[in-house]
Amino acid sequence: MKRILLLLFVTTFLSCNTTTQKDSNDNQNVQQNKFAIVIHGGAGTILKENMTPELEKAYEETLEEAIRVGYDILKNEGSSTKAVEASIHVMENSPLFNAGKGAVFTNDETNEMDASIMEGKTLNAGAVAGVKTVKNPITAAIEVMNNSNHVLLSGAGADSFAKEKGLEIMDPSYFYTERRFQSLQKIKEKEKTQLDHDEKTAFYDADIKNSKFGTVGCVALDKNGNITAGTSTGGMTNKRWNRIGDSPIIGAGTYANNATCGVSSTGWGEYFIRGVVAHDIAAQIEYKNVSLKEATQNVIQDKLTKMGGTGGIIAIDKNGAIAFEFNTAGMYRASMNDKGELTVKIYKD
Ligand code: ASP
């Protein structure tokens, strides 16, 4: 009898203790006050020798403006989704980046934009592909996530959905920028030269490898421990046949899970889709229990590189650790942590 009583006592004590422990862990998570934000403005052959000091300054200033807007939202108890949306708006509204205003041209000389968003708390997600009139495609993606039964809408349907929801709609001419139009003309000129099939393939490969991609993305961890990741792009110059890249594909261009991390990708989209890059990073943390640094290095420097893919990612894990990883010459990028420490970089360190 004494033994049974002792056993009962020990079991009750242990279960009370576990509950207290769990509650205090939950509180710790909620009150950790650890928040962070990271953005990218595309990866590619970004070399100092090809950059003018004025252009470099313009990129740095816009990256800093974008990261500070998101940081202020997080600092003032705002959600990671609000921070991601606001930071991406700054880049979408700038002609410098291949998203929104600065979107690249398709072979038909139009602009077709893709975007996606994912919240790590609920694993809810939304995306649009091939929109032609939405000023801020990231907001259309958020609208799909919050106010539709779907995850991914495309083409004219996605444009009508955005209009119906009262989003800002522009005439397609708003997305015209001379710089992007000239990039398309250069590629078209080269295409006219007589090349056999293999030469043509080699030309396209080299062209993609040499191009700067310029997609934008943001990942944020807010004070409640919620991670959101978002990506917005004009895709790739000279794309045809309503080609869709990785940016609106959940798991490839964007992924977030509060249990692991959030990721936004930029680069040669076909490889990021085949490598399921953003999800692979989160999965390595979940199943192999590796650090964010290890997971991002493994996926970008080893797996993606071996496939022949080029590009990079930004990521934040549930503890607020920040990662930038790319296998190209540069990646426009910036981050801020909860101490307000700012990093803005373009080239490899
Ligand atoms: N990943 C984008 C795409 O393939 C391009 C980019 O990152 O710039 O559409």
Short mmCIF file of all heavy atoms in Angstrom, two decimals, residues 273-314:
data_model
loop_
_atom_site.label_atom_id
_atom_site.label_comp_id
_atom_site.label_asym_id
_atom_site.label_seq_id
_atom_site.Cartn_x
_atom_site.Cartn_y
_atom_site.Cartn_z
N ILE A 273 12.34 24.66 -58.51
CA ILE A 273 11.12 23.82 -58.46
C ILE A 273 11.55 22.36 -58.34
O ILE A 273 11.06 21.62 -57.48
CB ILE A 273 10.25 24.02 -59.72
CG1 ILE A 273 9.69 25.44 -59.77
CG2 ILE A 273 9.09 23.01 -59.73
CD1 ILE A 273 8.93 25.79 -61.05
N ARG A 274 12.48 21.94 -59.21
CA ARG A 274 12.91 20.53 -59.20
C ARG A 274 13.57 20.15 -57.89
O ARG A 274 13.46 19.00 -57.44
CB ARG A 274 13.86 20.27 -60.37
CG ARG A 274 13.13 20.29 -61.70
CD ARG A 274 14.10 20.41 -62.87
NE ARG A 274 15.14 19.39 -62.82
CZ ARG A 274 16.33 19.50 -63.39
NH1 ARG A 274 16.64 20.60 -64.07
NH2 ARG A 274 17.20 18.54 -63.29
N GLY A 275 14.26 21.10 -57.27
CA GLY A 275 14.95 20.81 -56.00
C GLY A 275 14.07 21.04 -54.77
O GLY A 275 14.51 20.79 -53.66
N VAL A 276 12.84 21.52 -55.00
CA VAL A 276 11.92 21.87 -53.90
C VAL A 276 12.73 22.57 -52.79
O VAL A 276 12.69 22.19 -51.61
CB VAL A 276 11.16 20.64 -53.36
CG1 VAL A 276 9.87 21.08 -52.66
CG2 VAL A 276 10.81 19.67 -54.46
N VAL A 277 13.47 23.59 -53.22
CA VAL A 277 14.53 24.17 -52.40
C VAL A 277 14.07 24.69 -51.03
O VAL A 277 14.65 24.35 -50.00
CB VAL A 277 15.26 25.27 -53.21
CG1 VAL A 277 16.10 26.16 -52.32
CG2 VAL A 277 16.13 24.62 -54.28
N ALA A 278 13.02 25.53 -51.03
CA ALA A 278 12.63 26.17 -49.75
C ALA A 278 12.17 25.12 -48.74
O ALA A 278 12.54 25.15 -47.57
CB ALA A 278 11.55 27.21 -50.00
N HIS A 279 11.39 24.16 -49.21
CA HIS A 279 10.91 23.12 -48.29
C HIS A 279 12.04 22.19 -47.88
O HIS A 279 12.07 21.72 -46.73
CB HIS A 279 9.77 22.31 -48.91
CG HIS A 279 9.23 21.27 -47.98
ND1 HIS A 279 9.64 19.96 -48.02
CD2 HIS A 279 8.38 21.38 -46.93
CE1 HIS A 279 9.03 19.31 -47.04
NE2 HIS A 279 8.27 20.14 -46.37
N ASP A 280 12.96 21.92 -48.78
CA ASP A 280 14.07 21.01 -48.44
C ASP A 280 14.86 21.56 -47.25
O ASP A 280 15.28 20.81 -46.36
CB ASP A 280 14.97 20.82 -49.67
CG ASP A 280 15.95 19.67 -49.48
OD1 ASP A 280 15.82 18.91 -48.50
OD2 ASP A 280 16.88 19.52 -50.31
N ILE A 281 15.04 22.88 -47.22
CA ILE A 281 15.80 23.48 -46.11
C ILE A 281 15.05 23.24 -44.79
O ILE A 281 15.63 22.80 -43.80
CB ILE A 281 16.03 24.98 -46.38
CG1 ILE A 281 17.01 25.14 -47.55
CG2 ILE A 281 16.54 25.70 -45.13
CD1 ILE A 281 17.12 26.53 -48.12
N ALA A 282 13.72 23.52 -44.81
CA ALA A 282 12.92 23.32 -43.59
C ALA A 282 12.91 21.83 -43.21
O ALA A 282 12.98 21.49 -42.01
CB ALA A 282 11.51 23.83 -43.82
N ALA A 283 12.82 20.96 -44.20
CA ALA A 283 12.75 19.51 -43.93
C ALA A 283 14.05 19.00 -43.30
O ALA A 283 14.03 18.16 -42.41
CB ALA A 283 12.46 18.75 -45.22
N GLN A 284 15.18 19.54 -43.77
CA GLN A 284 16.46 19.10 -43.19
C GLN A 284 16.53 19.45 -41.71
O GLN A 284 17.04 18.69 -40.90
CB GLN A 284 17.62 19.72 -43.95
CG GLN A 284 17.70 19.18 -45.35
CD GLN A 284 19.09 19.23 -45.94
OE1 GLN A 284 20.07 19.53 -45.26
NE2 GLN A 284 19.18 18.91 -47.20
N ILE A 285 16.01 20.63 -41.37
CA ILE A 285 16.00 21.04 -39.95
C ILE A 285 15.05 20.12 -39.17
O ILE A 285 15.37 19.65 -38.08
CB ILE A 285 15.58 22.52 -39.82
CG1 ILE A 285 16.62 23.41 -40.52
CG2 ILE A 285 15.43 22.92 -38.36
CD1 ILE A 285 16.24 24.87 -40.58
N GLU A 286 13.88 19.85 -39.77
CA GLU A 286 12.87 19.05 -39.06
C GLU A 286 13.32 17.59 -38.89
O GLU A 286 13.20 17.03 -37.81
CB GLU A 286 11.55 19.10 -39.84
CG GLU A 286 10.41 18.43 -39.11
CD GLU A 286 9.06 18.66 -39.82
OE1 GLU A 286 8.99 19.43 -40.78
OE2 GLU A 286 8.09 18.03 -39.37
N TYR A 287 13.84 17.00 -39.95
CA TYR A 287 14.12 15.56 -39.89
C TYR A 287 15.55 15.22 -39.46
O TYR A 287 15.80 14.18 -38.90
CB TYR A 287 13.83 14.90 -41.25
CG TYR A 287 12.41 15.09 -41.72
CD1 TYR A 287 12.12 15.45 -43.04
CD2 TYR A 287 11.34 14.92 -40.85
CE1 TYR A 287 10.81 15.64 -43.46
CE2 TYR A 287 10.03 15.11 -41.27
CZ TYR A 287 9.77 15.47 -42.57
OH TYR A 287 8.48 15.66 -42.98
N LYS A 288 16.49 16.12 -39.77
CA LYS A 288 17.89 15.80 -39.44
C LYS A 288 18.39 16.60 -38.25
O LYS A 288 19.51 16.41 -37.80
CB LYS A 288 18.80 16.09 -40.65
CG LYS A 288 18.72 15.00 -41.71
CD LYS A 288 19.41 15.40 -43.00
CE LYS A 288 20.92 15.48 -42.92
NZ LYS A 288 21.52 16.00 -44.18
N ASN A 289 17.54 17.56 -37.81
CA ASN A 289 17.89 18.37 -36.66
C ASN A 289 19.20 19.14 -36.85
O ASN A 289 19.97 19.32 -35.91
CB ASN A 289 17.97 17.47 -35.42
CG ASN A 289 17.65 18.26 -34.19
OD1 ASN A 289 17.06 19.35 -34.29
ND2 ASN A 289 18.05 17.75 -33.03
N VAL A 290 19.46 19.57 -38.09
CA VAL A 290 20.68 20.34 -38.35
C VAL A 290 20.38 21.83 -38.14
O VAL A 290 19.23 22.23 -38.04
CB VAL A 290 21.22 20.12 -39.79
CG1 VAL A 290 21.67 18.69 -39.98
CG2 VAL A 290 20.18 20.51 -40.84
N SER A 291 21.42 22.66 -38.10
CA SER A 291 21.21 24.10 -37.93
C SER A 291 20.76 24.71 -39.25
O SER A 291 20.90 24.10 -40.32
CB SER A 291 22.52 24.77 -37.50
OG SER A 291 23.44 24.72 -38.57
N LEU A 292 20.23 25.95 -39.16
CA LEU A 292 19.79 26.64 -40.37
C LEU A 292 20.96 26.80 -41.34
O LEU A 292 20.83 26.59 -42.54
CB LEU A 292 19.22 28.03 -40.01
CG LEU A 292 18.70 28.84 -41.17
CD1 LEU A 292 17.37 28.29 -41.69
CD2 LEU A 292 18.50 30.31 -40.78
N LYS A 293 22.11 27.14 -40.78
CA LYS A 293 23.31 27.35 -41.60
C LYS A 293 23.66 26.09 -42.39
O LYS A 293 23.87 26.12 -43.60
CB LYS A 293 24.47 27.77 -40.68
CG LYS A 293 25.71 28.20 -41.37
CD LYS A 293 25.62 29.65 -41.83
CE LYS A 293 26.54 29.91 -43.02
NZ LYS A 293 26.03 30.93 -43.94
N GLU A 294 23.67 24.96 -41.65
CA GLU A 294 24.01 23.68 -42.31
C GLU A 294 23.00 23.35 -43.40
O GLU A 294 23.37 22.91 -44.50
CB GLU A 294 23.97 22.55 -41.28
CG GLU A 294 25.30 22.25 -40.63
CD GLU A 294 25.13 21.17 -39.58
OE1 GLU A 294 25.19 19.98 -39.95
OE2 GLU A 294 24.89 21.53 -38.42
N ALA A 295 21.71 23.51 -43.08
CA ALA A 295 20.66 23.14 -44.04
C ALA A 295 20.75 24.01 -45.31
O ALA A 295 20.66 23.49 -46.43
CB ALA A 295 19.29 23.29 -43.39
N THR A 296 20.95 25.32 -45.13
CA THR A 296 20.97 26.21 -46.30
C THR A 296 22.23 25.96 -47.14
O THR A 296 22.17 25.95 -48.37
CB THR A 296 20.90 27.70 -45.90
OG1 THR A 296 21.94 27.99 -44.97
CG2 THR A 296 19.56 28.04 -45.27
N GLN A 297 23.35 25.71 -46.46
CA GLN A 297 24.59 25.43 -47.21
C GLN A 297 24.45 24.14 -48.00
O GLN A 297 24.81 24.06 -49.17
CB GLN A 297 25.77 25.30 -46.25
CG GLN A 297 26.38 26.64 -45.92
CD GLN A 297 27.56 26.53 -44.97
OE1 GLN A 297 27.76 25.51 -44.33
NE2 GLN A 297 28.31 27.60 -44.87
N ASN A 298 23.90 23.13 -47.36
CA ASN A 298 23.76 21.85 -48.02
C ASN A 298 22.88 21.96 -49.27
O ASN A 298 23.22 21.46 -50.34
CB ASN A 298 23.19 20.82 -47.03
CG ASN A 298 22.95 19.49 -47.71
OD1 ASN A 298 21.81 19.17 -48.05
ND2 ASN A 298 24.01 18.75 -47.96
N VAL A 299 21.75 22.65 -49.12
CA VAL A 299 20.80 22.71 -50.25
C VAL A 299 21.34 23.58 -51.39
O VAL A 299 21.26 23.20 -52.56
CB VAL A 299 19.42 23.22 -49.77
CG1 VAL A 299 18.49 23.48 -50.94
CG2 VAL A 299 18.78 22.19 -48.83
N ILE A 300 21.92 24.74 -51.06
CA ILE A 300 22.38 25.65 -52.12
C ILE A 300 23.76 25.25 -52.67
O ILE A 300 23.93 25.10 -53.88
CB ILE A 300 22.40 27.12 -51.64
CG1 ILE A 300 20.99 27.56 -51.21
CG2 ILE A 300 22.96 28.06 -52.70
CD1 ILE A 300 19.92 27.49 -52.29
N GLN A 301 24.73 25.08 -51.76
CA GLN A 301 26.10 24.86 -52.24
C GLN A 301 26.32 23.43 -52.74
O GLN A 301 27.15 23.20 -53.60
CB GLN A 301 27.14 25.18 -51.15
CG GLN A 301 27.00 26.56 -50.55
CD GLN A 301 27.11 27.71 -51.57
OE1 GLN A 301 27.45 27.49 -52.74
NE2 GLN A 301 26.80 28.92 -51.14
N ASP A 302 25.57 22.49 -52.20
CA ASP A 302 25.79 21.12 -52.62
C ASP A 302 24.72 20.66 -53.61
O ASP A 302 24.98 20.48 -54.80
CB ASP A 302 25.83 20.21 -51.38
CG ASP A 302 26.33 18.83 -51.72
OD1 ASP A 302 27.19 18.72 -52.61
OD2 ASP A 302 25.84 17.85 -51.13
N LYS A 303 23.48 20.52 -53.12
CA LYS A 303 22.44 19.90 -53.95
C LYS A 303 22.09 20.73 -55.19
O LYS A 303 22.10 20.22 -56.30
CB LYS A 303 21.19 19.63 -53.10
CG LYS A 303 21.45 18.60 -52.00
CD LYS A 303 20.27 18.43 -51.07
CE LYS A 303 19.19 17.55 -51.65
NZ LYS A 303 18.13 17.26 -50.65
N LEU A 304 21.79 22.03 -55.01
CA LEU A 304 21.41 22.87 -56.15
C LEU A 304 22.56 23.00 -57.14
O LEU A 304 22.38 22.91 -58.36
CB LEU A 304 20.96 24.26 -55.66
CG LEU A 304 20.52 25.23 -56.75
CD1 LEU A 304 19.12 24.88 -57.26
CD2 LEU A 304 20.52 26.67 -56.25
N THR A 305 23.77 23.21 -56.61
CA THR A 305 24.93 23.41 -57.46
C THR A 305 25.20 22.15 -58.29
O THR A 305 25.49 22.23 -59.48
CB THR A 305 26.17 23.80 -56.60
OG1 THR A 305 25.79 24.95 -55.83
CG2 THR A 305 27.37 24.14 -57.45
N LYS A 306 25.08 20.97 -57.66
CA LYS A 306 25.31 19.72 -58.40
C LYS A 306 24.28 19.53 -59.52
O LYS A 306 24.59 18.94 -60.55
CB LYS A 306 25.26 18.53 -57.44
CG LYS A 306 26.58 18.32 -56.73
CD LYS A 306 26.53 17.07 -55.87
CE LYS A 306 27.81 16.98 -55.05
NZ LYS A 306 27.57 16.36 -53.74
N MET A 307 23.06 20.04 -59.31
CA MET A 307 22.04 19.93 -60.37
C MET A 307 22.33 20.88 -61.52
O MET A 307 21.76 20.76 -62.60
CB MET A 307 20.65 20.32 -59.81
CG MET A 307 20.00 19.30 -58.93
SD MET A 307 18.52 20.04 -58.17
CE MET A 307 17.36 19.95 -59.52
N GLY A 308 23.15 21.92 -61.28
CA GLY A 308 23.44 22.92 -62.30
C GLY A 308 22.63 24.20 -62.10
O GLY A 308 22.65 25.09 -62.96
N GLY A 309 21.92 24.30 -61.00
CA GLY A 309 21.09 25.48 -60.73
C GLY A 309 21.89 26.61 -60.12
O GLY A 309 22.90 26.40 -59.45
N THR A 310 21.43 27.85 -60.40
CA THR A 310 22.11 29.01 -59.81
C THR A 310 21.10 29.89 -59.08
O THR A 310 19.96 30.00 -59.50
CB THR A 310 22.79 29.87 -60.91
OG1 THR A 310 21.85 30.07 -61.96
CG2 THR A 310 24.03 29.21 -61.46
N GLY A 311 21.57 30.52 -58.01
CA GLY A 311 20.70 31.42 -57.27
C GLY A 311 20.99 31.37 -55.78
O GLY A 311 22.09 30.99 -55.37
N GLY A 312 20.02 31.75 -54.99
CA GLY A 312 20.25 31.78 -53.55
C GLY A 312 18.96 31.88 -52.76
O GLY A 312 17.87 31.91 -53.33
N ILE A 313 19.12 31.92 -51.45
CA ILE A 313 17.95 32.03 -50.55
C ILE A 313 18.28 32.96 -49.39
O ILE A 313 19.45 33.21 -49.09
CB ILE A 313 17.54 30.66 -49.95
CG1 ILE A 313 18.69 30.01 -49.19
CG2 ILE A 313 17.02 29.70 -51.02
CD1 ILE A 313 18.80 30.37 -47.77
N ILE A 314 17.20 33.43 -48.76
CA ILE A 314 17.33 34.06 -47.45
C ILE A 314 16.45 33.23 -46.51
O ILE A 314 15.46 32.64 -46.96
CB ILE A 314 16.85 35.52 -47.45
CG1 ILE A 314 15.45 35.63 -48.08
CG2 ILE A 314 17.83 36.43 -48.15
CD1 ILE A 314 14.76 36.96 -47.83
#
